[in-house]
């Protein structure tokens, strides 16, 4: 079970994370990750639609994904907002498959977040333009 500070609750939080976050899709899920304040606890939300299956199946998938999210908080305890959207294939996936997909997608999205932030910060602070901008001007 996720603690209350680690849960995404409002539709605004979900839509902000999905729209502005980095996305990575796997066979069983799509994971969106966005940066939040460095001191804030990481928050995780889940989307499991009726396309996944009946209520029993959806709840099983949700419990498994919630546990995977709780395990990931040990390494990513602060600074991230994560939305996990289960795909219909998640209904027949084992715990190991869901955990593997979750961890792989989280690793890719956090790497992209970490890799893109310094590049953007350096161009904004230096006031330099990229080669693409220069080529468009000539």
């Amino acid at each position: 079970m996720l603690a209350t500070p680690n849960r995404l609750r409002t539709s605004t939080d979900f839509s902000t994370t999905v729209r502005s976050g980095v996305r990575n899709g796997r066979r069983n899920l799509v994971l969106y990750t966005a940066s939040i304040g460095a001191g804030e606890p990481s928050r995780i939300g889940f989307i499991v639609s009726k396309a996944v299956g009946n209520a029993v199946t959806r709840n099983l998938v949700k419990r498994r994904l919630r546990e995977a999210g709780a395990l990931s908080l040990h390494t990513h305890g602060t600074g991230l907002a994560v939305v996990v959207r289960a795909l219909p294939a998640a209904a027949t996936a084992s715990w190991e498959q869901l955990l593997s997909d979750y961890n792989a997608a989280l690793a890719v999205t956090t790497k992209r977040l970490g890799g893109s932030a310094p590049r953007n910060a350096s161009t904004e602070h230096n006031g330099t333009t990229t080669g693409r901008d220069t080529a468009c001007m000539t």
Side-chain angles (χ1 to χ4, degrees), residues 21-96:
V22 177
R23 179 178 69 93
N24 187 266
R26 298 289 166 165
R27 182 175 189 274
N28 299 307
L29 56 89
V30 178
L31 192 131
Y32 304 87
T33 306
S35 294
I36 56 175
E40 293 186 42
S42 292
R43 294 178 296 180
I44 305 172
F46 304 93
I47 301 169
V48 184
S49 73
K50 287 186 178 181
V52 173
N54 63 18
V56 173
T57 304
R58 290 193 311 268
N59 285 327
L60 175 66
V61 169
K62 199 182 321 178
R63 282 193 306 271
R64 287 177 173 176
L65 290 174
R66 195 179 297 133
E67 181 62 25
L71 292 173
S72 71
L73 287 175
H74 296 294
T75 55
H76 303 288
T78 59
L80 294 178
V82 178
V83 171
V84 182
R85 184 167 50 93
L87 298 176
T92 58
S94 68
W95 158 246
E96 291 82 16

